[in-house]
Amino acid sequence: MNKKTTLLLWSIFGLWSALLLAQKNITVEEIYNGTFRTKNMEQLHSMKNSNQYTVLQFDRNSRSSKIVLFDFATLKEVKTLVDTKNFSELKGIDAYTFNPSETGVLIANNTESIYRHSSVADYFYIDLATQKIEKIAAYKIQEPTFSPDGTKIAYAYQNNLYWFDLNTKQTTAITTNGKKNHLINGITDWVYEEEFGYVRAFQWSNNSQHLAYISFDETEVPEFSMDVYGTGLYPTQEVFKYPKAGEKNAIVSLQLFTLANQQTKKIPLTNESDYYIARLQATNQPEQWVMQVLNRHQTQLKLVAVQANGSTKVLHTETDKAYVDVHDYLTFLPDHSFIWASEKDGWMHLYHHDANGKLHKQITKGNWDVTDYYGYDAKSKAIFYQSVERGSTKRHVYAIGMDGKKKRLLTPKTGNNKAKFSPNFSHFIWTHSSATEPTNFALVDTKSGKLIQTIVENSDLTQKLQAYQLPVKEFITVNNALGQPMNAYIIKPKDFNPNKKYPLLLFQYSGPGSQQVNDQWLNSNDYWHMMLTQKGYIVACVDGRGTGYLGRDFKKVTQLQLGKYEVEDQIFAAKYFGNQSYIDASRIGIWGWSYGGFMSSNCLLQGNDVFKMAIAVAPVTNWRFYDTIYTERYMQTPQENASGYDDNSPINHVQKLKGKYLIIHGTADDNVHVQNAMRMIRALQLAGKDFDQAIYPDTNHGIYGGKIRIQLYQKMTDYILTNL
């Protein structure tokens, strides 16, 4: 064989290999079977009493779980604290919490979910020195929490509160009047859990002598029922309290329990007849808590300090003509002053108030939002936070002095950056990703900013993805009809030809304060969208008015009329893309989930000359069907704002349907009830409209279980291929 022939054969082989490489297509099965899963640091806990951290590891050989201790400065493994192979009682570790001295650990096992954030589990306490294990209760409990002195654990069980003495092994009831669908003690009700995002509504005092807790009297709250079809001959029914917009909420009250005399007293917090306790936390004073108390319209938030003797004081009042955002950035410093975050200058920033609540200093300033707060280092007098000051689609970590000076960028790489700081703030574990770089974890020296060592990287995934020749997510800006810039991205086929015309699928969520256009690593929807580009589609996403991180006014303009400006912006964006030479304007579709399903339904109906097809998964179809806290925050009540609820309800626009419409819902959706889909289906039928539907029995808002997600996304894929 001569040299020329050899070169020719190698060229043919190289071309053939390249073609094979280009032909590697993503499948729905791969998206949901873990093929593209990134490696992470599972349950990373920063220790408080030593410059160390722990992670949860799983040993596939022994089938055991381990809590492993590492040194922050060197990343070296110090020792294994707990290994389940040494405990016959433990069938794995679902979650773990250390006692304040970090000499013992509380482990959750056999966890059963209740709603989105709540669960019950078997809990075991392990003394790390003796490795002695004991079960806290003979039954599954909720939210066990150590007292600050580490001698007691408070927990909830069947709507009542208890405390367990680790020394005497005795359990004492704090309440006895709890009853399902009537009275809850120390655990939030459904709507608090879903919309305020917390479950544990009790808190020890700093001296471990008192327990503050919230009681929820649900007696007058209307009930919602869901049929559960199961596998038996007859279906069962789940009945729970769910306050829809304009209906009665649970009556909340703050209670203080004193361990010494076993006495409880009710503490009045406000003169409001209907209010929320959005947060409850202890301060660093021995017998003080602070509550975040909101009026029902959520236009006023008060920080109310409560003493164990029952006295109260308003430390600070936050107001907003639209609504006040609830957050977890409230931090009390050693001198009892506190750090607070507010949008009062139009952007979310950090402020320093003295112990009496008087404003001392605005710490961060600029036309950008603080997006996370990591803490305060008393030694260096520095505050550590995350923000979008280098672009609203990106996240970076900074240090800044309490006086607002000497700001330092700690994460130089563009994209999405997070930090987990060591107890003394000398180091942090840096988490970074971007739309082109999978998540990586590394150790960084805080003072110098020097990267010390990579901890976890995903080069294996990067290598694997080369075979798929994934397209690039291009970040762009699209101006709306008012000339306001909207963040957007577009994903084109890898072999994109500007001289061809492609069908376009718009994806969006659009809910208040949300963000879909961000420079971070791919999620399952991104892979699915890229799969669609391999089938000849272009996918784009636009964050219109009402979404977050572009300032208070951009976010809150949708107040009292959800679905108006958001729909206008999506229709405008579709027309913008339709005017591009490479888009077939007659083949534009839109899809979304939850709020995004509300939006995709509205866009197809109100933009019936623009959109050919829409898919709505678990959509709200009328805000009258949704809960009080979320809906009234943006709409007030239906009694006060009837037109706001009805003018942009998809149900009231069904006669405008022209294109193809697929509505999908799970019958066990406790969040956006299947009632939304059923009422929409009924309205479409009465209007004589042709449409498609997919109902998933006994699945919740996430629609998953077994191979359901694969079946769902394959159905949506086929629907797009057939109708767009």
Side-chain angles (χ1 to χ4, degrees), residues 15-228:
L15 180 62
W16 177 74
S17 298
L19 286 171
L20 280 181
L21 212 61
Q23 289 171 0
K24 182 76 171 177
N25 289 325
I26 301 170
T27 66
V28 172
E29 288 81 2
E30 286 175 315
I31 296 172
Y32 289 101
N33 69 9
T35 298
F36 307 123
R37 187 178 296 126
T38 56
K39 291 184 289 187
N40 290 296
M41 297 182 72
E42 297 295 336
Q43 295 202 31
L44 170 64
H45 287 250
S46 180
M47 305 297 275
K48 296 178 180 177
N49 303 315
S50 62
N51 205 43
Q52 297 169 320
Y53 67 90
T54 61
V55 292
L56 183 62
Q57 296 181 349
F58 180 70
D59 188 322
R60 294 188 181 277
N61 293 324
S62 64
R63 308 301 295 174
S64 65
S65 296
K66 298 190 293 185
I67 301 173
V68 185
L69 183 68
F70 292 87
D71 183 80
F72 247 114
T74 65
L75 294 182
K76 290 183 178 179
E77 181 178 327
V78 178
K79 61 180 175 179
T80 295
L81 299 179
V82 175
D83 191 331
T84 58
K85 71 181 181 182
N86 299 324
F87 300 95
S88 59
E89 301 91 336
L90 292 179
K91 307 302 180 187
I93 299 175
D94 300 334
Y96 63 96
T97 307
F98 291 100
N99 63 3
S101 64
E102 296 174 337
T103 57
V105 63
L106 192 62
I107 292 177
N109 193 235
N110 300 320
T111 302
E112 294 179 22
S113 293
I114 302 174
Y115 299 119
R116 190 190 296 264
H117 305 289
S118 57
S119 61
V120 294
D122 292 319
Y123 282 90
F124 299 85
Y125 175 74
I126 297 177
D127 183 299
L128 294 177
T130 65
Q131 291 290 292
K132 182 180 178 181
I133 187 171
E134 60 184 310
K135 197 173 184 182
I136 300 303
Y139 36 78
K140 292 188 176 184
I141 60 178
Q142 281 186 275
E143 300 294 321
T145 304
F146 287 106
S147 59
D149 65 9
T151 64
K152 297 171 279 290
I153 295 174
Y155 64 85
Y157 173 65
Q158 294 187 348
N159 289 21
N160 282 310
L161 282 175
Y162 301 82
W163 66 278
F164 175 76
D165 191 311
L166 284 164
N167 294 322
T168 66
K169 316 305 180 190
Q170 296 297 309
T171 299
T172 304
I174 297 171
T175 69
T176 57
N177 58 351
K179 184 180 178 182
K180 184 178 180 181
N181 288 338
H182 286 280
L183 188 71
I184 312 172
N185 294 299
I187 296 293
T188 55
D189 66 356
W190 185 94
V191 70
Y192 266 62
E193 175 182 336
E194 178 65 28
E195 306 305 352
F196 288 142
Y198 76 108
V199 175
R200 179 166 60 86
F202 65 86
Q203 180 68 51
W204 288 99
S205 62
N206 203 33
N207 64 4
S208 304
Q209 298 305 305
H210 310 272
L211 196 79
Y213 65 92
I214 305 172
S215 286
F216 294 79
D217 185 346
E218 297 187 294
T219 306
E220 298 299 320
V221 179
E223 290 182 340
F224 190 84
S225 62
M226 295 189 309
D227 285 332
V228 179

Side-chain angles (χ1 to χ4, degrees), residues 221-480:
V221 179
E223 290 182 340
F224 190 84
S225 62
M226 295 189 309
D227 285 332
V228 179
Y229 298 97
T231 57
L233 187 60
Y234 292 91
T236 58
Q237 196 172 63
E238 181 68 25
V239 178
F240 59 100
K241 298 287 187 170
Y242 186 106
K244 291 183 184 286
E247 298 298 312
K248 289 184 177 181
N249 279 316
I251 299 171
V252 296
S253 60
L254 177 68
Q255 314 285 335
L256 293 186
F257 174 77
T258 300
L259 274 68
N261 59 17
Q262 305 287 293
Q263 297 296 307
T264 301
K265 55 188 171 185
K266 180 179 177 180
I267 308 299
L269 294 175
T270 177
N271 293 325
E272 296 275 347
S273 59
D274 204 352
Y275 63 94
Y276 301 114
I277 306 175
R279 291 289 186 272
L280 178 162
Q281 70 184 82
T283 72
N284 48 22
Q285 298 189 46
E287 297 188 339
Q288 185 189 68
W289 302 262
V290 167
M291 316 293 154
Q292 295 186 31
V293 181
L294 275 171
N295 63 339
R296 181 154 177 168
H297 278 170
Q298 301 175 62
T299 55
Q300 181 187 80
L301 183 149
K302 293 180 180 179
L303 297 182
V304 182
V306 178
Q307 302 292 337
N309 63 12
S311 64
T312 63
K313 177 184 177 181
V314 177
L315 292 179
H316 176 65
T317 301
E318 191 82 21
T319 60
D320 192 294
K321 62 183 180 181
Y323 58 90
V324 179
D325 273 311
V326 173
H327 57 72
D328 294 303
Y329 304 157
L330 175 61
T331 304
F332 288 88
L333 307 183
D335 63 357
H336 307 312
S337 64
F338 61 91
I339 294 168
W340 175 248
S342 171
E343 284 185 311
K344 63 184 178 182
D345 75 346
W347 303 84
M348 184 63 79
H349 282 298
L350 299 174
Y351 294 80
H352 183 206
H353 294 256
D354 69 19
N356 294 312
K358 182 180 178 181
L359 177 62
H360 178 67
K361 178 83 175 179
Q362 181 175 350
I363 302 168
T364 60
K365 293 180 181 179
N367 293 343
W368 43 267
D369 287 326
V370 168
T371 48
D372 204 351
Y373 166 72
Y374 297 115
Y376 168 71
D377 177 22
K379 183 178 179 180
S380 65
K381 292 183 172 55
I383 285 173
F384 300 90
Y385 69 94
Q386 181 199 62
S387 75
V388 292
E389 53 197 279
R390 291 205 164 196
S392 57
T393 63
K394 306 177 189 304
R395 303 286 188 278
H396 284 277
V397 179
Y398 294 84
I400 192 170
M402 279 290 288
D403 57 2
K405 299 177 181 178
K406 297 181 179 179
K407 180 164 64 175
R408 291 191 298 125
L409 173 68
L410 300 178
T411 50
K413 290 188 73 173
T414 190
N416 187 285
N417 297 277
K418 303 176 185 177
K420 173 72 76 169
F421 284 89
S422 63
N424 62 9
F425 289 96
S426 63
H427 300 83
F428 67 91
I429 292 176
W430 173 28
T431 306
H432 170 266
S433 79
S434 71
T436 56
E437 296 178 85
T439 305
N440 284 283
F441 299 84
L443 181 68
V444 176
D445 179 88
T446 304
K447 186 175 181 179
S448 67
K450 180 183 176 182
L451 190 152
I452 299 172
Q453 183 179 333
T454 297
I455 307 172
V456 175
E457 47 81 36
N458 279 285
S459 58
D460 290 349
L461 177 60
T462 302
Q463 184 71 25
K464 180 190 295 184
L465 290 175
Q466 288 181 4
Y468 293 86
Q469 294 291 292
L470 296 183
V472 175
K473 183 186 283 189
E474 302 173 37
F475 291 94
I476 60 175
T477 299
V478 176
N479 291 342
N480 65 14

